[in-house]
Amino acid sequence: MPGVRNVRAAGDARHARTGKDGLFFDKDGNILASVESFTSSATYNNAKYTVLGDGQEHETANTFSVSLTMTQIVVESDKFIKELIRAMSEQEMPVWGFRGSLKGRNGSEEIVVYDECIPSGQIDIQNVSVGDVIKRNWNFFANQAPNLQSELTII
């Protein structure tokens, strides 16, 4: 390929994954089939410091947090909303575990486990508008570091 500097990117394009290759499971391995999208992200909070005689500010690793967001297509009342409503009335918040999965073309699978997830921020109880599919947005905070159980491979 003349003029192409990164020949690997073009050569491995067949291994690119799309949303149809991903799944979101509860801790028991049940597919949450009504989930339209799922995102997990880490936020790092570093501590800044300066040293005498050095005009440059520096950072050192301090803390991190992991949050999950999912958009659920409301097909029927499910266990999550039932558990959330019950938790609000009993004033004892639920704790969930999730597994994110991405299937590779060659049968490999990336699995990340998120333990001790609690509701965080705003959660839609009912979100209804004319002419739109009814969806419920969820936000979670993971109180354990994610666990990478398996990785995608190309070979």
Side-chain angles (χ1 to χ4, degrees):
M1 289 185 243
V4 175
R5 295 181 69 194
N6 184 353
V7 295
R8 182 175 177 184
D12 287 348
R14 68 187 191 280
H15 295 286
R17 304 290 66 191
T18 65
K20 69 175 179 46
D21 301 307
L23 286 173
F24 191 52
F25 298 87
D26 67 11
K27 181 75 179 204
D28 299 325
N30 300 310
I31 296 173
L32 301 175
S34 58
V35 173
E36 180 183 59
S37 64
F38 162 67
T39 302
S40 65
S41 58
T43 302
Y44 284 84
N45 302 299
N46 294 334
K48 293 185 181 213
Y49 67 96
T50 56
V51 178
L52 289 175
D54 186 349
Q56 181 177 355
E57 187 173 63
H58 302 275
E59 288 188 356
T60 187
N62 191 14
T63 64
F64 71 93
S65 64
V66 176
S67 59
L68 292 81
T69 303
M70 76 172 171
T71 301
Q72 173 193 26
I73 298 172
V74 178
V75 178
E76 60 188 35
S77 288
D78 66 335
K79 77 176 201 167
F80 288 117
I81 196 66
K82 290 176 186 176
E83 288 178 13
L84 183 71
I85 297 294
R86 183 176 60 243
M88 285 190 279
S89 68
E90 295 173 1
Q91 296 188 12
E92 186 173 328
M93 290 303 111
V95 178
W96 290 300
F98 300 109
R99 290 190 301 158
S101 168
L102 183 60
K103 194 78 163 173
R105 187 170 286 225
N106 61 356
S108 65
E109 185 176 17
E110 178 184 89
I111 297 174
V112 179
V113 175
Y114 307 91
D115 276 323
E116 295 185 30
C117 298
I118 60 172
S120 180
Q122 183 172 321
I123 294 175
D124 292 342
I125 294 173
Q126 292 185 312
N127 184 356
V128 182
S129 61
V130 174
D132 197 6
V133 173
I134 299 173
K135 298 176 186 173
R136 187 176 286 135
N137 294 304
W138 291 83
N139 296 291
F140 305 97
F141 187 89
N143 280 307
Q144 293 290 324
N147 180 2
L148 180 62
Q149 289 195 330
S150 64
E151 299 179 47
L152 288 176
T153 61
I154 293 178
I155 298 172

mmCIF file with all atom_site columns, all heavy atoms in Angstrom, residues 102-119:
data_model
loop_
_atom_site.group_PDB
_atom_site.id
_atom_site.type_symbol
_atom_site.label_atom_id
_atom_site.label_alt_id
_atom_site.label_comp_id
_atom_site.label_asym_id
_atom_site.label_entity_id
_atom_site.label_seq_id
_atom_site.pdbx_PDB_ins_code
_atom_site.Cartn_x
_atom_site.Cartn_y
_atom_site.Cartn_z
_atom_site.occupancy
_atom_site.B_iso_or_equiv
_atom_site.pdbx_formal_charge
_atom_site.auth_seq_id
_atom_site.auth_comp_id
_atom_site.auth_asym_id
_atom_site.auth_atom_id
_atom_site.pdbx_PDB_model_num
ATOM 1   N N   . LEU A 1 102 ? -17.089 -8.428  25.146 1.00 0.00 ? 102 LEU A N   1
ATOM 2   C CA  . LEU A 1 102 ? -16.905 -8.084  23.742 1.00 0.00 ? 102 LEU A CA  1
ATOM 3   C C   . LEU A 1 102 ? -16.355 -9.307  23.035 1.00 0.00 ? 102 LEU A C   1
ATOM 4   O O   . LEU A 1 102 ? -15.297 -9.824  23.399 1.00 0.00 ? 102 LEU A O   1
ATOM 5   C CB  . LEU A 1 102 ? -15.945 -6.903  23.598 1.00 0.00 ? 102 LEU A CB  1
ATOM 6   C CG  . LEU A 1 102 ? -15.695 -6.385  22.196 1.00 0.00 ? 102 LEU A CG  1
ATOM 7   C CD1 . LEU A 1 102 ? -16.997 -5.920  21.558 1.00 0.00 ? 102 LEU A CD1 1
ATOM 8   C CD2 . LEU A 1 102 ? -14.699 -5.251  22.224 1.00 0.00 ? 102 LEU A CD2 1
ATOM 9   N N   . LYS A 1 103 ? -17.093 -9.816  22.063 1.00 0.00 ? 103 LYS A N   1
ATOM 10  C CA  . LYS A 1 103 ? -16.726 -11.037 21.346 1.00 0.00 ? 103 LYS A CA  1
ATOM 11  C C   . LYS A 1 103 ? -15.851 -10.705 20.154 1.00 0.00 ? 103 LYS A C   1
ATOM 12  O O   . LYS A 1 103 ? -16.173 -9.821  19.367 1.00 0.00 ? 103 LYS A O   1
ATOM 13  C CB  . LYS A 1 103 ? -18.013 -11.733 20.880 1.00 0.00 ? 103 LYS A CB  1
ATOM 14  C CG  . LYS A 1 103 ? -17.823 -13.145 20.434 1.00 0.00 ? 103 LYS A CG  1
ATOM 15  C CD  . LYS A 1 103 ? -17.711 -14.050 21.627 1.00 0.00 ? 103 LYS A CD  1
ATOM 16  C CE  . LYS A 1 103 ? -17.926 -15.475 21.220 1.00 0.00 ? 103 LYS A CE  1
ATOM 17  N NZ  . LYS A 1 103 ? -17.673 -16.391 22.276 1.00 0.00 ? 103 LYS A NZ  1
ATOM 18  N N   . GLY A 1 104 ? -14.736 -11.414 20.028 1.00 0.00 ? 104 GLY A N   1
ATOM 19  C CA  . GLY A 1 104 ? -13.844 -11.240 18.893 1.00 0.00 ? 104 GLY A CA  1
ATOM 20  C C   . GLY A 1 104 ? -14.271 -12.108 17.717 1.00 0.00 ? 104 GLY A C   1
ATOM 21  O O   . GLY A 1 104 ? -15.007 -13.087 17.878 1.00 0.00 ? 104 GLY A O   1
ATOM 22  N N   . ARG A 1 105 ? -13.807 -11.766 16.554 1.00 0.00 ? 105 ARG A N   1
ATOM 23  C CA  . ARG A 1 105 ? -14.167 -12.504 15.341 1.00 0.00 ? 105 ARG A CA  1
ATOM 24  C C   . ARG A 1 105 ? -13.668 -13.949 15.377 1.00 0.00 ? 105 ARG A C   1
ATOM 25  O O   . ARG A 1 105 ? -14.273 -14.840 14.833 1.00 0.00 ? 105 ARG A O   1
ATOM 26  C CB  . ARG A 1 105 ? -13.575 -11.797 14.134 1.00 0.00 ? 105 ARG A CB  1
ATOM 27  C CG  . ARG A 1 105 ? -14.028 -12.376 12.809 1.00 0.00 ? 105 ARG A CG  1
ATOM 28  C CD  . ARG A 1 105 ? -13.599 -11.470 11.700 1.00 0.00 ? 105 ARG A CD  1
ATOM 29  N NE  . ARG A 1 105 ? -14.468 -10.308 11.738 1.00 0.00 ? 105 ARG A NE  1
ATOM 30  C CZ  . ARG A 1 105 ? -15.021 -9.774  10.663 1.00 0.00 ? 105 ARG A CZ  1
ATOM 31  N NH1 . ARG A 1 105 ? -14.779 -10.263 9.491  1.00 0.00 ? 105 ARG A NH1 1
ATOM 32  N NH2 . ARG A 1 105 ? -15.795 -8.731  10.769 1.00 0.00 ? 105 ARG A NH2 1
ATOM 33  N N   . ASN A 1 106 ? -12.564 -14.181 16.093 1.00 0.00 ? 106 ASN A N   1
ATOM 34  C CA  . ASN A 1 106 ? -11.947 -15.508 16.131 1.00 0.00 ? 106 ASN A CA  1
ATOM 35  C C   . ASN A 1 106 ? -12.418 -16.342 17.319 1.00 0.00 ? 106 ASN A C   1
ATOM 36  O O   . ASN A 1 106 ? -11.822 -17.356 17.632 1.00 0.00 ? 106 ASN A O   1
ATOM 37  C CB  . ASN A 1 106 ? -10.430 -15.355 16.177 1.00 0.00 ? 106 ASN A CB  1
ATOM 38  C CG  . ASN A 1 106 ? -9.975  -14.599 17.409 1.00 0.00 ? 106 ASN A CG  1
ATOM 39  O OD1 . ASN A 1 106 ? -10.787 -14.119 18.190 1.00 0.00 ? 106 ASN A OD1 1
ATOM 40  N ND2 . ASN A 1 106 ? -8.674  -14.478 17.572 1.00 0.00 ? 106 ASN A ND2 1
ATOM 41  N N   . GLY A 1 107 ? -13.471 -15.888 18.012 1.00 0.00 ? 107 GLY A N   1
ATOM 42  C CA  . GLY A 1 107 ? -13.971 -16.640 19.153 1.00 0.00 ? 107 GLY A CA  1
ATOM 43  C C   . GLY A 1 107 ? -13.398 -16.196 20.490 1.00 0.00 ? 107 GLY A C   1
ATOM 44  O O   . GLY A 1 107 ? -13.856 -16.634 21.536 1.00 0.00 ? 107 GLY A O   1
ATOM 45  N N   . SER A 1 108 ? -12.384 -15.314 20.466 1.00 0.00 ? 108 SER A N   1
ATOM 46  C CA  . SER A 1 108 ? -11.864 -14.798 21.731 1.00 0.00 ? 108 SER A CA  1
ATOM 47  C C   . SER A 1 108 ? -12.892 -13.834 22.327 1.00 0.00 ? 108 SER A C   1
ATOM 48  O O   . SER A 1 108 ? -13.817 -13.380 21.646 1.00 0.00 ? 108 SER A O   1
ATOM 49  C CB  . SER A 1 108 ? -10.517 -14.098 21.528 1.00 0.00 ? 108 SER A CB  1
ATOM 50  O OG  . SER A 1 108 ? -10.670 -12.938 20.731 1.00 0.00 ? 108 SER A OG  1
ATOM 51  N N   . GLU A 1 109 ? -12.732 -13.529 23.610 1.00 0.00 ? 109 GLU A N   1
ATOM 52  C CA  . GLU A 1 109 ? -13.707 -12.672 24.273 1.00 0.00 ? 109 GLU A CA  1
ATOM 53  C C   . GLU A 1 109 ? -13.017 -11.836 25.345 1.00 0.00 ? 109 GLU A C   1
ATOM 54  O O   . GLU A 1 109 ? -12.226 -12.344 26.126 1.00 0.00 ? 109 GLU A O   1
ATOM 55  C CB  . GLU A 1 109 ? -14.795 -13.534 24.911 1.00 0.00 ? 109 GLU A CB  1
ATOM 56  C CG  . GLU A 1 109 ? -15.918 -12.762 25.533 1.00 0.00 ? 109 GLU A CG  1
ATOM 57  C CD  . GLU A 1 109 ? -17.025 -13.684 26.070 1.00 0.00 ? 109 GLU A CD  1
ATOM 58  O OE1 . GLU A 1 109 ? -16.782 -14.895 26.242 1.00 0.00 ? 109 GLU A OE1 1
ATOM 59  O OE2 . GLU A 1 109 ? -18.113 -13.172 26.321 1.00 0.00 ? 109 GLU A OE2 1
ATOM 60  N N   . GLU A 1 110 ? -13.319 -10.530 25.333 1.00 0.00 ? 110 GLU A N   1
ATOM 61  C CA  . GLU A 1 110 ? -12.858 -9.663  26.407 1.00 0.00 ? 110 GLU A CA  1
ATOM 62  C C   . GLU A 1 110 ? -13.973 -9.584  27.442 1.00 0.00 ? 110 GLU A C   1
ATOM 63  O O   . GLU A 1 110 ? -15.103 -9.231  27.119 1.00 0.00 ? 110 GLU A O   1
ATOM 64  C CB  . GLU A 1 110 ? -12.561 -8.257  25.884 1.00 0.00 ? 110 GLU A CB  1
ATOM 65  C CG  . GLU A 1 110 ? -12.121 -7.298  26.968 1.00 0.00 ? 110 GLU A CG  1
ATOM 66  C CD  . GLU A 1 110 ? -11.939 -5.895  26.433 1.00 0.00 ? 110 GLU A CD  1
ATOM 67  O OE1 . GLU A 1 110 ? -12.932 -5.134  26.436 1.00 0.00 ? 110 GLU A OE1 1
ATOM 68  O OE2 . GLU A 1 110 ? -10.818 -5.578  26.000 1.00 0.00 ? 110 GLU A OE2 1
ATOM 69  N N   . ILE A 1 111 ? -13.659 -9.942  28.680 1.00 0.00 ? 111 ILE A N   1
ATOM 70  C CA  . ILE A 1 111 ? -14.641 -9.888  29.765 1.00 0.00 ? 111 ILE A CA  1
ATOM 71  C C   . ILE A 1 111 ? -14.058 -9.040  30.890 1.00 0.00 ? 111 ILE A C   1
ATOM 72  O O   . ILE A 1 111 ? -12.951 -9.296  31.358 1.00 0.00 ? 111 ILE A O   1
ATOM 73  C CB  . ILE A 1 111 ? -14.987 -11.286 30.305 1.00 0.00 ? 111 ILE A CB  1
ATOM 74  C CG1 . ILE A 1 111 ? -15.641 -12.126 29.214 1.00 0.00 ? 111 ILE A CG1 1
ATOM 75  C CG2 . ILE A 1 111 ? -15.908 -11.184 31.516 1.00 0.00 ? 111 ILE A CG2 1
ATOM 76  C CD1 . ILE A 1 111 ? -15.893 -13.565 29.618 1.00 0.00 ? 111 ILE A CD1 1
ATOM 77  N N   . VAL A 1 112 ? -14.810 -8.025  31.297 1.00 0.00 ? 112 VAL A N   1
ATOM 78  C CA  . VAL A 1 112 ? -14.424 -7.183  32.435 1.00 0.00 ? 112 VAL A CA  1
ATOM 79  C C   . VAL A 1 112 ? -15.537 -7.291  33.467 1.00 0.00 ? 112 VAL A C   1
ATOM 80  O O   . VAL A 1 112 ? -16.717 -7.134  33.147 1.00 0.00 ? 112 VAL A O   1
ATOM 81  C CB  . VAL A 1 112 ? -14.209 -5.716  32.022 1.00 0.00 ? 112 VAL A CB  1
ATOM 82  C CG1 . VAL A 1 112 ? -13.840 -4.865  33.223 1.00 0.00 ? 112 VAL A CG1 1
ATOM 83  C CG2 . VAL A 1 112 ? -13.132 -5.611  30.945 1.00 0.00 ? 112 VAL A CG2 1
ATOM 84  N N   . VAL A 1 113 ? -15.167 -7.580  34.710 1.00 0.00 ? 113 VAL A N   1
ATOM 85  C CA  . VAL A 1 113 ? -16.124 -7.722  35.803 1.00 0.00 ? 113 VAL A CA  1
ATOM 86  C C   . VAL A 1 113 ? -16.069 -6.467  36.672 1.00 0.00 ? 113 VAL A C   1
ATOM 87  O O   . VAL A 1 113 ? -14.987 -5.981  37.006 1.00 0.00 ? 113 VAL A O   1
ATOM 88  C CB  . VAL A 1 113 ? -15.820 -8.974  36.653 1.00 0.00 ? 113 VAL A CB  1
ATOM 89  C CG1 . VAL A 1 113 ? -16.744 -9.053  37.859 1.00 0.00 ? 113 VAL A CG1 1
ATOM 90  C CG2 . VAL A 1 113 ? -15.956 -10.225 35.799 1.00 0.00 ? 113 VAL A CG2 1
ATOM 91  N N   . TYR A 1 114 ? -17.243 -5.959  37.010 1.00 0.00 ? 114 TYR A N   1
ATOM 92  C CA  . TYR A 1 114 ? -17.388 -4.782  37.862 1.00 0.00 ? 114 TYR A CA  1
ATOM 93  C C   . TYR A 1 114 ? -18.157 -5.213  39.104 1.00 0.00 ? 114 TYR A C   1
ATOM 94  O O   . TYR A 1 114 ? -19.328 -5.568  39.019 1.00 0.00 ? 114 TYR A O   1
ATOM 95  C CB  . TYR A 1 114 ? -18.153 -3.677  37.138 1.00 0.00 ? 114 TYR A CB  1
ATOM 96  C CG  . TYR A 1 114 ? -17.559 -3.351  35.783 1.00 0.00 ? 114 TYR A CG  1
ATOM 97  C CD1 . TYR A 1 114 ? -18.004 -4.001  34.632 1.00 0.00 ? 114 TYR A CD1 1
ATOM 98  C CD2 . TYR A 1 114 ? -16.547 -2.417  35.658 1.00 0.00 ? 114 TYR A CD2 1
ATOM 99  C CE1 . TYR A 1 114 ? -17.452 -3.708  33.397 1.00 0.00 ? 114 TYR A CE1 1
ATOM 100 C CE2 . TYR A 1 114 ? -15.991 -2.125  34.421 1.00 0.00 ? 114 TYR A CE2 1
ATOM 101 C CZ  . TYR A 1 114 ? -16.457 -2.773  33.292 1.00 0.00 ? 114 TYR A CZ  1
ATOM 102 O OH  . TYR A 1 114 ? -15.905 -2.491  32.076 1.00 0.00 ? 114 TYR A OH  1
ATOM 103 N N   . ASP A 1 115 ? -17.498 -5.193  40.271 1.00 0.00 ? 115 ASP A N   1
ATOM 104 C CA  . ASP A 1 115 ? -18.115 -5.639  41.517 1.00 0.00 ? 115 ASP A CA  1
ATOM 105 C C   . ASP A 1 115 ? -18.486 -4.466  42.408 1.00 0.00 ? 115 ASP A C   1
ATOM 106 O O   . ASP A 1 115 ? -17.897 -3.389  42.318 1.00 0.00 ? 115 ASP A O   1
ATOM 107 C CB  . ASP A 1 115 ? -17.168 -6.559  42.289 1.00 0.00 ? 115 ASP A CB  1
ATOM 108 C CG  . ASP A 1 115 ? -17.257 -7.996  41.802 1.00 0.00 ? 115 ASP A CG  1
ATOM 109 O OD1 . ASP A 1 115 ? -18.356 -8.434  41.461 1.00 0.00 ? 115 ASP A OD1 1
ATOM 110 O OD2 . ASP A 1 115 ? -16.215 -8.666  41.777 1.00 0.00 ? 115 ASP A OD2 1
ATOM 111 N N   . GLU A 1 116 ? -19.430 -4.738  43.285 1.00 0.00 ? 116 GLU A N   1
ATOM 112 C CA  . GLU A 1 116 ? -19.891 -3.778  44.281 1.00 0.00 ? 116 GLU A CA  1
ATOM 113 C C   . GLU A 1 116 ? -20.297 -2.446  43.659 1.00 0.00 ? 116 GLU A C   1
ATOM 114 O O   . GLU A 1 116 ? -19.851 -1.373  44.070 1.00 0.00 ? 116 GLU A O   1
ATOM 115 C CB  . GLU A 1 116 ? -18.840 -3.567  45.369 1.00 0.00 ? 116 GLU A CB  1
ATOM 116 C CG  . GLU A 1 116 ? -18.588 -4.815  46.198 1.00 0.00 ? 116 GLU A CG  1
ATOM 117 C CD  . GLU A 1 116 ? -17.630 -4.566  47.351 1.00 0.00 ? 116 GLU A CD  1
ATOM 118 O OE1 . GLU A 1 116 ? -17.588 -3.440  47.873 1.00 0.00 ? 116 GLU A OE1 1
ATOM 119 O OE2 . GLU A 1 116 ? -16.926 -5.525  47.707 1.00 0.00 ? 116 GLU A OE2 1
ATOM 120 N N   . CYS A 1 117 ? -21.164 -2.512  42.653 1.00 0.00 ? 117 CYS A N   1
ATOM 121 C CA  . CYS A 1 117 ? -21.664 -1.315  41.971 1.00 0.00 ? 117 CYS A CA  1
ATOM 122 C C   . CYS A 1 117 ? -22.919 -0.818  42.682 1.00 0.00 ? 117 CYS A C   1
ATOM 123 O O   . CYS A 1 117 ? -23.839 -1.595  42.953 1.00 0.00 ? 117 CYS A O   1
ATOM 124 C CB  . CYS A 1 117 ? -21.992 -1.623  40.517 1.00 0.00 ? 117 CYS A CB  1
ATOM 125 S SG  . CYS A 1 117 ? -20.549 -2.158  39.571 1.00 0.00 ? 117 CYS A SG  1
ATOM 126 N N   . ILE A 1 118 ? -22.920 0.468   42.976 1.00 0.00 ? 118 ILE A N   1
ATOM 127 C CA  . ILE A 1 118 ? -24.074 1.073   43.638 1.00 0.00 ? 118 ILE A CA  1
ATOM 128 C C   . ILE A 1 118 ? -24.622 2.189   42.753 1.00 0.00 ? 118 ILE A C   1
ATOM 129 O O   . ILE A 1 118 ? -23.899 2.760   41.939 1.00 0.00 ? 118 ILE A O   1
ATOM 130 C CB  . ILE A 1 118 ? -23.702 1.625   45.032 1.00 0.00 ? 118 ILE A CB  1
ATOM 131 C CG1 . ILE A 1 118 ? -22.624 2.699   44.930 1.00 0.00 ? 118 ILE A CG1 1
ATOM 132 C CG2 . ILE A 1 118 ? -23.266 0.490   45.953 1.00 0.00 ? 118 ILE A CG2 1
ATOM 133 C CD1 . ILE A 1 118 ? -22.345 3.428   46.232 1.00 0.00 ? 118 ILE A CD1 1
ATOM 134 N N   . PRO A 1 119 ? -25.907 2.504   42.886 1.00 0.00 ? 119 PRO A N   1
ATOM 135 C CA  . PRO A 1 119 ? -26.465 3.630   42.130 1.00 0.00 ? 119 PRO A CA  1
ATOM 136 C C   . PRO A 1 119 ? -25.696 4.908   42.469 1.00 0.00 ? 119 PRO A C   1
ATOM 137 O O   . PRO A 1 119 ? -25.319 5.124   43.618 1.00 0.00 ? 119 PRO A O   1
ATOM 138 C CB  . PRO A 1 119 ? -27.909 3.723   42.619 1.00 0.00 ? 119 PRO A CB  1
ATOM 139 C CG  . PRO A 1 119 ? -28.210 2.387   43.205 1.00 0.00 ? 119 PRO A CG  1
ATOM 140 C CD  . PRO A 1 119 ? -26.907 1.862   43.737 1.00 0.00 ? 119 PRO A CD  1
#
